[in-house]
Amino acid sequence: MPLYNRIEGRLLKEQLRQVPFLPRTTISFYKYHRIDDPAAFRNELYRKFYDLGVLGRIYIAHEGINAQVSVPQNNLEPFRETLYKYPFLNGIRLNRAIEDNGKSFFKLTIKVRKKIVADGLDDQTFNPADTGVKVDAATFNRLADDPNTIIIDMRNHYESEVGHFKNALCPDVDTFREELQIAEDLLREHKDKNLLMYCTGGIRCEKASAWLKYKGFKNVFQLDGGIIEYARQVKEQGLENKFIGKNFVFDERLGERITPDIISHCHQCGAPCDDHTNCKNDGCHLLFIQCKSCAEKYKGCCSQTCMEIIALPREVQKELRRGKAQGRKVFKKGRAQHLITMHENLTA
């Protein structure tokens, strides 16, 4: 069997949209653990997950595994058994999605990376295993109510823009690598306070808490299981929900509703909205917030230029973007001068 997907992503997405709803469960998990041969482990896992109908995105490195997957519900138990047969994954918590339409992923991608989260840190200079104290939802709430506590969001600005914990510091960053340095600078004067950090599923806080402890912060706490596990616990235990808005996720859904609050705005017209989308022009693919009205007006594009491009024949579009490295594009006020509609509306 092939160990890589060979079908164009656009076609796979279209196939997924056209099929009737399939009972699937979106799951995320991670584990820092020494893997001697990431490539061999990757190939073995691909074969097993492919046979189970698993879709998703998985990163494997010498330092461990980071996974977000969509599993057919009739294969949940075989999936769990497959994972738990590996000693270092036995009993690992599987974070289940809060909102799930069964179409979070359209293909299975497993990549070998230098790190399972791009943090820019030299792990030889500190002890990544010396993490902060992991806390559950009830303890998080108690610490959050303590005036001696500083809450910090360890995610990117486009994540916290649509949802975050009350009174949290939300650094204006595009990447986790940036976040670490800016967080250290923001918190420098609070080294003796309770530092309470959180992220989507917990993985970014593992390295961040160890790094900040190394930098001299005394009382470092991290939300165990992140926002996903917190939302589950507050619902099951009837606790106060201190998170407001939507939890951004890195799959086709682009978000999970935690509370009805809409705390962000359409990047084109300024109307209340927290629905992220990617520009329909594959040569742009900008991630931005777009309301239904603007989606209709601009045909899912971020600008008039992109709308004109998607009207061209597909082969012409491919030629226009040939040889151009797009990288990851995220809208940010003041950084997207080519987006006339957005820039004029947000700076008027």
Side-chain angles (χ1 to χ4, degrees):
M1 61 166 286
L3 295 178
Y4 298 88
N5 171 67
R6 301 298 185 190
I7 305 175
E8 186 180 351
R10 178 180 61 84
L11 297 176
L12 289 171
K13 284 185 181 181
E14 191 58 35
Q15 290 174 14
L16 190 64
R17 291 191 185 102
Q18 290 178 359
V19 298
F21 175 78
L22 296 176
R24 281 181 167 270
T25 299
T26 302
I27 291 172
S28 61
F29 64 92
Y30 70 89
K31 181 71 174 182
Y32 280 101
H33 177 84
R34 174 70 186 180
I35 298 176
D36 293 327
D37 191 341
F41 180 58
R42 179 256 173 226
N43 291 343
E44 182 179 323
L45 211 58
Y46 191 98
R47 292 187 186 95
K48 292 180 178 180
F49 282 1
Y50 182 88
D51 289 342
L52 291 172
V54 174
L55 306 175
R57 183 190 306 112
I58 302 172
Y59 297 140
I60 296 173
H62 283 296
E63 68 175 3
I65 181 172
N66 180 17
Q68 296 87 41
V69 295
S70 172
V71 184
Q73 288 186 8
N74 62 334
N75 279 337
L76 279 174
E77 193 54 38
F79 170 77
R80 186 182 292 106
E81 291 173 357
T82 297
L83 276 184
Y84 287 4
K85 284 180 181 177
Y86 294 101
F88 79 97
L89 294 174
N90 187 19
I92 190 172
R93 180 181 56 235
L94 303 176
N95 276 341
R96 295 197 179 197
I98 301 160
E99 284 188 327
D100 204 349
N101 60 6
K103 298 181 180 182
S104 54
F105 292 98
F106 57 90
K107 64 180 178 179
L108 176 61
T109 301
I110 306 182
K111 295 183 177 181
V112 173
R113 291 282 182 86
K114 183 178 179 181
K115 289 193 171 188
I116 55 176
V117 175
D119 53 37
L121 298 176
D122 180 357
D123 292 358
Q124 304 302 314
T125 62
F126 71 109
N127 181 8
D130 185 21
T131 61
V133 177
K134 294 181 179 178
V135 299
D136 59 14
T139 307
F140 183 96
N141 283 358
R142 178 176 57 77
L143 284 167
D145 288 336
D146 188 333
N148 196 45
T149 294
I150 301 295
I151 307 171
I152 184 163
D153 192 319
M154 298 308 298
R155 303 172 302 153
N156 304 321
H157 75 87
Y158 53 89
E159 298 174 79
S160 60
E161 182 177 14
V162 295
H164 53 76
F165 279 99
K166 298 173 184 176
N167 302 317
L169 292 176
C170 299
D172 188 15
V173 297
D174 290 341
T175 67
F176 182 53
R177 184 191 302 254
E178 291 178 78
E179 169 88 23
L180 289 170
Q181 183 57 58
I182 291 180
E184 182 185 344
D185 294 340
L186 283 173
L187 299 168
R188 197 181 306 279
E189 62 185 88
H190 303 296
K191 284 196 171 183
D192 294 325
K193 291 189 176 183
N194 298 322
L195 175 56
L196 182 58
M197 60 177 59
Y198 68 90
C199 58
T200 306
I203 188 169
R204 282 176 277 189
C205 290
E206 294 282 337
K207 280 288 183 72
S209 65
W211 175 252
L212 289 175
K213 286 183 68 177
Y214 166 70
K215 286 294 186 175
F217 291 86
K218 307 297 183 183
N219 306 308
V220 182
F221 301 87
Q222 61 190 87
L223 181 57
D224 192 19
I227 299 164
I228 298 173
E229 178 64 10
Y230 176 89
R232 185 188 69 80
Q233 290 182 16
V234 295
K235 183 177 181 180
E236 289 184 353
Q237 300 173 29
L239 303 174
E240 177 190 358
N241 188 352
K242 292 182 177 292
F243 189 92
I244 52 174
K246 183 182 283 188
N247 178 36
F248 182 94
V249 292
F250 292 89
D251 59 52
E252 293 296 306
R253 296 170 298 149
L254 291 177
E256 300 176 314
R257 175 67 56 197
I258 305 294
T259 71
D261 307 272
I262 297 177
I263 64 173
S264 52
H265 299 83
C266 174
H267 287 153
Q268 288 177 305
C269 72
C273 179
D274 58 8
D275 294 330
H276 275 100
T277 189
N278 287 106
C279 179
K280 290 296 185 292
N281 173 16
D282 289 338
C284 173
H285 206 61
L286 180 86
L287 178 70
F288 68 109
I289 297 174
Q290 185 179 55
C291 69
K292 288 181 173 58
S293 176
C294 286
E296 181 177 354
K297 180 178 179 180
Y298 295 104
K299 301 186 186 304
C301 292
C302 67
S303 64
Q304 180 70 33
T305 299
C306 285
M307 190 165 63
E308 292 171 359
I309 290 175
I310 67 166
L312 298 171
R314 182 160 293 277
E315 290 305 314
V316 177
Q317 293 182 48
K318 286 184 178 180
E319 191 61 34
L320 285 174
R321 62 178 183 267
R322 189 186 303 277
K324 296 179 181 179
Q326 292 295 333
R328 179 167 177 77
K329 289 185 177 180
V330 178
F331 174 77
K332 197 168 186 182
K333 184 176 179 180
R335 290 193 188 175
Q337 299 299 327
H338 70 291
L339 304 180
I340 303 301
T341 55
M342 293 186 184
H343 184 67
E344 288 181 346
N345 279 312
L346 290 173
T347 58

